[in-house]
Amino acid sequence: MTLGKRIRQLRKERKMTLVDLAGDKITKGMLSLIENDKSTPSMETLAHIAKELDVSIGYLTREGDEDWTKQMLAESDFSHYFSFPFEHIEKNILPQLDRVSQSNKGMELYNIIRIYYRYRGEHGTADEYTEKIGKFYRSIGIEHLVVRNRLNDAVSLMYSQDYSEAYSRLVETEAEVMEFKDYDSQLELDYYYLKAVFSVSVDMKEFIPLGDRVVALSYETENFKRFFSANMILGYYYGLEGDMEKHKEYQGNLRKYLDFNRQEKYELELIDTTTPITVFYVLVEDRQRHVTLYEAYIENIEVHHEAGTIQSSNMTFYHPLFMIELSYFREDYRTVVENYKENMYIRSAAQHPIDRIIMATRSCIYPLSLYQLGEKQEAREAFGRIEDTIEDIKHSPFTKEFYMIRDIIFEETQSE
């Protein structure tokens, strides 16, 4: 959008006439020429127009096309768990990068492009976009968003599963996070949460104190955005470790939280609201209870989805997973084998290491079903393919159930 068109759009949005905006500083005719891009205003004139429109000069003169930028952001679901819009980016965005607006929306689009290059392993180019975003926020004097950009840069490395590098970059921001946390109450909370998540694959000794810091900080700041996830992960860890007292502590935190903070996303994430922290996803003690839970959960989601009370394109992908898992818990192994597809549990969106392990564990219903059907060699080969997907994090304490499943499938070979 040109300077003139931007001035006209802002004037009309504010229901101002040419005379209103021109005031006693410039003539109506001169303003008309500016709006039609037939005259270039002086800095003094720009300052007057910006003041009357209640925006900065930088906002008026920013480069790029704001409408096009918003359209590019709206045309695709960039938060989709199971797919990433490579084609949309390559066909519609990358060939027209000069149209990216130098605004907050433009920085959102730059972040998407950064993620695109992380996916492709082109980290040098991704880092260039980190610099572009930081430079923009620095130029308009919003330093806490410069720091926020560095946290988002670390998050972008999850798309290429470079957890160690993400952790290192986070640590480098700590002093700045503490310096600017008063300008952004979410900054410190996000920092500790992300550091806890990345520590799972870098330094497990830090994981527990960092997770507990997130929980404590949530109470201190009365900001509970990370509270659910932090308690879920901590409770999951202690459940796997067999420390059921600690497990119950975090379970209790979540029950209290859910009593007053039920959100749409929990309709999608929680199968059992009475015991929200799952410890074993496949090797459950009471299969019949699990069948009942799954049936009720699937019915509930379908009702909400049909009624439009839950809007989630991710349901297209989640629904087959829950249906195939329900077949497994019903001991309908043939249905599992016939409907399972390679990679159906692999999400392309940013996944932290624990999430990847959980998805790999859940996908083990396939080799377990093969094993139950007597196709033991095929089961072992299938397990091996799944194990390859978590090769970089296979020594994590969160893989306990995963390797319990392996022991079942390979039991005969181990006894030979």
Side-chain angles (χ1 to χ4, degrees):
M1 183 182 295
T2 64
L3 171 62
K5 288 179 180 177
R6 183 171 293 118
I7 291 172
R8 181 190 295 128
Q9 177 179 303
L10 289 169
R11 176 175 62 78
K12 289 184 175 181
E13 286 176 356
R14 287 156 175 72
K15 295 181 171 48
M16 298 173 71
T17 65
L18 284 168
V19 173
D20 292 334
L21 182 55
D24 58 2
K25 295 291 184 181
I26 56 176
T27 66
K28 172 184 172 183
M30 174 59 69
L31 181 57
S32 178
L33 289 173
I34 292 171
E35 286 193 355
N36 287 289
D37 294 310
K38 293 180 179 178
S39 179
T40 302
S42 66
M43 284 303 297
E44 183 180 358
T45 299
L46 263 181
H48 165 73
I49 292 172
K51 181 180 179 182
E52 294 300 310
L53 292 172
D54 194 25
V55 296
S56 67
I57 293 176
Y59 183 85
L60 286 180
T61 59
R62 70 183 188 271
E63 301 172 5
D65 186 330
E66 182 78 353
D67 290 339
W68 176 86
T69 300
K70 290 178 179 178
Q71 180 184 348
M72 291 300 101
L73 286 168
E75 281 186 357
S76 193
D77 184 357
F78 295 102
S79 63
H80 209 296
Y81 282 160
F82 288 86
S83 63
F84 186 77
F86 289 99
E87 184 177 355
H88 174 57
I89 292 170
E90 292 168 353
K91 181 180 178 181
N92 301 319
I93 298 175
L94 294 184
Q96 304 185 75
L97 285 175
D98 60 321
R99 297 184 69 180
V100 178
S101 174
Q102 300 307 291
S103 64
N104 286 332
K105 287 295 181 184
M107 297 311 105
E108 286 183 36
L109 195 55
Y110 276 162
N111 182 51
I112 298 300
I113 297 170
R114 170 169 57 189
I115 290 170
Y116 167 82
Y117 283 112
R118 294 292 184 211
Y119 264 128
R120 293 172 58 88
E122 298 181 30
H123 296 298
T125 305
D127 289 342
E128 289 176 8
Y129 280 93
T130 299
E131 289 299 315
K132 283 177 183 284
I133 298 169
K135 183 178 179 181
F136 169 77
Y137 286 123
R138 196 172 288 111
S139 71
I140 59 176
I142 310 181
E143 289 295 328
H144 72 276
L145 290 184
V146 177
V147 183
R148 166 69 60 188
N149 172 52
R150 294 184 66 187
L151 297 192
N152 290 338
D153 177 54
V155 171
S156 75
L157 284 156
M158 284 204 287
Y159 288 85
S160 55
Q161 298 173 5
D162 289 313
Y163 304 125
S164 295
E165 179 63 21
Y167 181 85
S168 296
R169 294 192 186 192
L170 272 177
V171 171
E172 290 172 0
T173 69
E174 184 163 343
E176 292 170 280
V177 168
M178 297 308 135
E179 180 181 356
F180 291 101
K181 64 182 182 180
D182 291 339
Y183 295 90
D184 183 348
S185 61
Q186 187 70 34
L187 202 60
E188 184 181 13
L189 194 63
D190 285 346
Y191 171 75
Y192 283 119
Y193 174 77
L194 291 170
K195 192 176 179 184
V197 166
F198 292 133
S199 71
V200 169
S201 57
V202 178
D203 186 356
M204 271 299 296
K205 294 191 298 294
E206 288 201 330
F207 166 70
I208 297 299
L210 285 169
D212 282 331
R213 178 62 180 141
V214 173
V215 174
L217 196 59
S218 298
Y219 286 116
E220 290 173 21
T221 61
E222 297 184 351
N223 185 333
F224 292 89
K225 179 180 179 181
R226 301 296 189 181
F227 187 81
F228 179 87
S229 183
N231 277 279
M232 185 74 77
I233 294 171
L234 288 164
Y236 180 39
Y237 170 79
Y238 281 114
L240 290 173
E241 290 291 297
D243 187 339
M244 301 316 292
E245 285 303 312
K246 294 293 290 184
H247 172 76
K248 289 177 182 177
E249 176 186 330
Y250 296 106
Q251 190 90 271
N253 286 348
L254 283 188
R255 285 200 192 96
K256 293 176 185 176
Y257 175 75
L258 292 170
D259 281 344
F260 68 86
N261 193 4
R262 291 302 295 272
Q263 298 177 24
E264 176 185 293
K265 67 176 183 176
Y266 302 133
E267 297 288 341
L268 295 170
E269 293 180 9
L270 293 177
I271 293 174
D272 184 0
T273 55
T274 59
T275 53
I277 302 178
T278 302
V279 177
F280 290 99
Y281 288 83
V282 177
L283 302 178
V284 297
E285 291 185 5
D286 187 341
R287 278 202 176 200
Q288 188 51 54
R289 179 177 182 275
H290 227 62
V291 166
T292 302
L293 286 170
Y294 259 66
E295 288 174 338
Y297 172 80
I298 292 170
E299 181 181 358
N300 182 45
I301 293 301
E302 288 175 346
V303 168
H304 280 287
H305 194 57
E306 289 175 9
T309 53
I310 288 181
Q311 299 294 330
S312 174
S313 57
N314 297 327
M315 281 304 298
T316 305
F317 295 87
Y318 270 123
H319 192 268
L321 303 189
F322 288 113
M323 291 301 294
I324 199 173
E325 288 168 22
L326 177 57
S327 295
Y328 174 79
F329 293 122
R330 286 173 172 166
E331 300 184 8
D332 184 0
Y333 303 122
R334 181 54 62 189
T335 295
V336 174
V337 170
E338 290 175 352
N339 289 277
Y340 180 86
K341 296 180 180 61
E342 295 285 347
N343 298 327
M344 69 186 296
Y345 280 87
I346 297 177
R347 293 184 355 198
S348 61
Q351 286 185 279
H352 57 66
I354 304 169
D355 204 12
R356 283 176 58 206
I357 292 168
I358 290 172
M359 294 300 276
T361 301
R362 288 172 61 183
S363 69
C364 282
I365 60 168
Y366 177 61
L368 279 169
S369 293
L370 287 169
Y371 181 83
Q372 292 293 339
L373 292 169
E375 300 173 28
K376 296 182 178 180
Q377 184 56 37
E378 291 85 349
R380 291 160 188 162
E381 291 172 358
F383 183 90
R385 291 193 296 273
I386 296 170
E387 186 177 25
D388 287 343
T389 69
I390 57 169
E391 175 65 29
D392 58 315
I393 46 177
K394 67 181 183 181
H395 298 298
S396 166
F398 290 95
T399 59
K400 181 177 180 178
E401 183 183 8
F402 185 79
Y403 284 110
M404 288 171 68
I405 293 170
R406 183 190 190 283
D407 289 343
I408 293 170
I409 295 172
F410 287 82
E411 181 180 10
E412 291 179 8
T413 60
Q414 292 170 351
S415 62
E416 291 174 357

